[in-house]
């Protein structure tokens, strides 16, 4: 079956190239799949409280930046510097230094059965000059005591997927 699929795709190179590029981007490591990455500038303190606005210890918003992986410099111009970023809850035991898109997705923490989404509020951030902040009433709808590590992380990914995702420091979420 695999040979038949490969043969058909080779007869339609326009299909093959887009398919292989998609598959390749899901399996490549951050260093090989993009020259850009998202990075948390700061993280929530531990603990935070269920239903409370996610912010840093001093009350400022949690911030994310888009950086060039070669220079570590913030990307302040171009179309990606004003991209939309999705904020997701991650499992705290996500500690790998390098990951694929699929590995990142596997570490997204899902809500418990019968519960509302784990992260509530406006979980989309728009970058401005390469920086975005988690504003508004973004909060956790559940505590972290039911998870294996008893902690969460925040994750950030470009909605277009053209940069390596970010991961915050781990933190507890209490009732």
């Amino acid at each position: 079956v695999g040979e038949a699929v490969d043969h058909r795709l080779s007869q339609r190179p326009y299909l093959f190239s887009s398919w292989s590029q998609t598959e390749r981007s899901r399996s490549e490591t951050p260093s090989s799949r993009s020259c850009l990455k998202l990075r948390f500038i700061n993280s929530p303190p531990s603990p935070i409280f269920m239903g409370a606005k996610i912010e840093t210890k001093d009350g400022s918003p949690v911030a994310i930046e888009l950086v060039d992986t070669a220079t570590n410099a913030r990307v302040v111009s171009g179309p990606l510097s004003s991209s939309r970023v999705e904020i997701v809850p991650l499992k705290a035991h996500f500690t790998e230094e390098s990951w694929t898109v699929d590995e990142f997705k596997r570490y997204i923490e899902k809500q418990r059965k019968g519960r509302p989404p784990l992260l509530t509020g406006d979980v989309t951030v728009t970058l401005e000059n390469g920086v975005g902040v988690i504003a508004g009433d973004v909060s956790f709808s559940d505590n972290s005591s039911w998870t294996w590590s008893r902690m969460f992380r925040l994750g950030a990914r470009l909605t277009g997927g053209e940069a390596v995702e970010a991961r915050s420091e781990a933190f507890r979420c209490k009732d």
Side-chain angles (χ1 to χ4, degrees):
V1 172
E3 289 175 15
V5 170
D6 287 343
H7 177 71
R8 288 216 180 230
L9 288 173
S10 68
Q11 292 175 337
R12 295 179 177 93
Y14 57 90
L15 290 176
F16 179 74
S17 64
S18 65
W19 174 80
S20 63
Q21 184 176 348
T22 300
E23 289 306 305
R24 202 176 322 117
S25 70
R26 290 173 183 244
S27 63
E28 291 176 341
T29 60
S31 60
S32 65
R33 68 180 161 108
S34 178
C35 61
L36 300 175
K37 69 178 179 179
L38 289 169
R39 175 171 62 192
F40 278 92
I41 297 172
N42 51 23
S43 286
S46 189
I48 64 169
F49 293 93
M50 186 178 99
K53 180 179 174 180
I54 295 175
E55 54 192 10
T56 63
K57 190 173 188 171
D58 68 0
S60 61
V62 173
I64 304 138
E65 65 182 343
L66 180 66
V67 296
D68 182 309
T69 56
T71 63
N72 242 6
R74 184 177 297 153
V75 177
V76 296
S77 62
L80 293 178
S81 69
S82 58
S83 296
R84 292 172 54 98
V85 176
E86 179 187 15
I87 307 302
V88 296
L90 295 175
K91 297 173 182 174
H93 61 275
F94 179 22
T95 58
E96 285 80 357
E97 291 302 316
S98 184
W99 57 84
T100 65
V101 172
D102 287 338
E103 287 169 333
F104 183 84
K105 287 179 181 177
R106 279 195 295 272
Y107 281 104
I108 294 176
E109 189 73 77
K110 305 289 188 228
Q111 73 266 23
R112 289 193 271 184
K113 189 173 182 172
R115 298 281 189 134
L118 190 53
L119 205 53
T120 61
D122 185 3
V123 295
T124 303
V125 171
T126 301
L127 299 179
E128 188 174 310
N129 297 321
V131 178
V133 295
I134 300 174
D137 59 350
V138 177
S139 65
F140 279 89
S141 66
D142 202 353
N143 64 54
S144 58
S145 66
W146 56 276
T147 65
W148 178 80
S149 64
R150 304 203 179 296
M151 298 176 91
F152 295 131
R153 290 180 187 269
L154 290 176
R157 59 185 177 182
L158 283 185
T159 57
E162 297 180 31
V164 176
E165 306 82 5
R167 160 191 82 197
S168 75
E169 295 298 319
F171 53 87
R172 291 194 187 287
C173 183
K174 295 183 173 185
D175 286 330

